[in-house]
Amino acid sequence: MQAIDHSQRQPGATGSGEPVRLAFYDFDGTLASGTIVHRYAYFAGRLDSRLEALSRQARLLLKVPLFVGVNQFSRRRFNELFFREYRGLDQQVLIQLAGRLLDEQVRRSIYPAARAALAADRANGYRLVLLSGELDVALAPVAAELCFDDLVCNRLVYRDGIANGEVVAPLLAEGEKAVAIRRICEAHGTTPATARAYSDSLSDLPMLDAVGEPFAVNPDPRLRRVAQSRGWPIMNWRDQPHV
């Protein structure tokens, strides 16, 4: 996992001397529309070799039914399989394309209500953590755009600057998100009981269970049922108009 710190606040306290409060945000479906599949398709379609770009896009289309089925069963297994599609891609090329990805695709997919929620948490003294199973190469520009204090996500393994299709362990998905929350809270001298978390998916139930204030945002039907049964706030950021 990778942490990117955009602030000067010290672990354990805010600038006012109060204990740090952490707000953990999922990305896909919570802060923005789009998926890791869309972002890989962007990278694959803009390679210098047109033949390789077409080959990767065709292979992705053929595998979509497989990925959909696996995702219904296990988000962890889906991530393991899907990130293998990055095998053979150059790290520097991905980094160069990431800025274009933000400009051409991701920025307009971010929900205005999500930006407002981030601003409100920031104003209320929360340290903002983007906690996602997506790759750092795709999310680093997003974390900077949205002024997150920390980015915690998956990272590809590279050999001589070329992705080998593996992810640096531990792969961040499902229960590992809860482990990450506990680890980050401990590092900041606080506890998950004082933290809040936002997600749209039942696969993130461990993440929501781990904190004192869970929020179901744009929840899928299964998460909605859980949130209703437990009395968690349910928020709709998806249908707010883009400016």
Side-chain angles (χ1 to χ4, degrees), residues 97-119:
L97 288 173
R100 291 174 52 190
L101 171 64
L102 174 66
D103 292 339
E104 297 176 14
Q105 185 180 102
V106 177
R107 183 176 289 116
R108 65 172 178 266
S109 75
I110 298 171
Y111 304 127
R115 289 183 183 271
L118 288 165

Side-chain angles (χ1 to χ4, degrees), residues 192-208:
T194 66
R196 52 177 47 181
Y198 302 82
S199 183
D200 70 305
S201 174
L202 187 69
S203 67
D204 278 339
L205 186 58
M207 169 183 175
L208 297 173

Side-chain angles (χ1 to χ4, degrees), residues 154-169:
N154 285 311
R155 291 184 292 145
L156 292 171
V157 176
Y158 297 94
R159 296 284 184 261
D160 298 322
I162 303 299
N164 69 357
E166 298 177 3
V167 174
V168 175

Side-chain angles (χ1 to χ4, degrees), residues 163-232:
N164 69 357
E166 298 177 3
V167 174
V168 175
L171 186 143
L172 191 63
E174 300 173 343
E176 187 58 38
K177 283 192 173 184
V179 174
I181 286 174
R182 291 191 289 270
R183 185 185 306 124
I184 295 165
C185 286
E186 182 178 359
H188 285 280
T190 186
T191 68
T194 66
R196 52 177 47 181
Y198 302 82
S199 183
D200 70 305
S201 174
L202 187 69
S203 67
D204 278 339
L205 186 58
M207 169 183 175
L208 297 173
D209 271 335
V211 300
E213 290 187 88
F215 294 87
V217 180
N218 313 321
D220 62 34
R222 294 180 298 172
L223 179 58
R224 179 177 292 276
R225 288 193 292 270
V226 171
Q228 290 172 336
S229 69
R230 300 186 184 183
W232 292 350

Side-chain angles (χ1 to χ4, degrees), residues 31 33 107-112 237-243:
L31 294 177
S33 60
R107 183 176 289 116
R108 65 172 178 266
S109 75
I110 298 171
Y111 304 127
W237 295 347
R238 183 184 295 119
D239 295 334
Q240 300 298 318
H242 284 70
V243 178

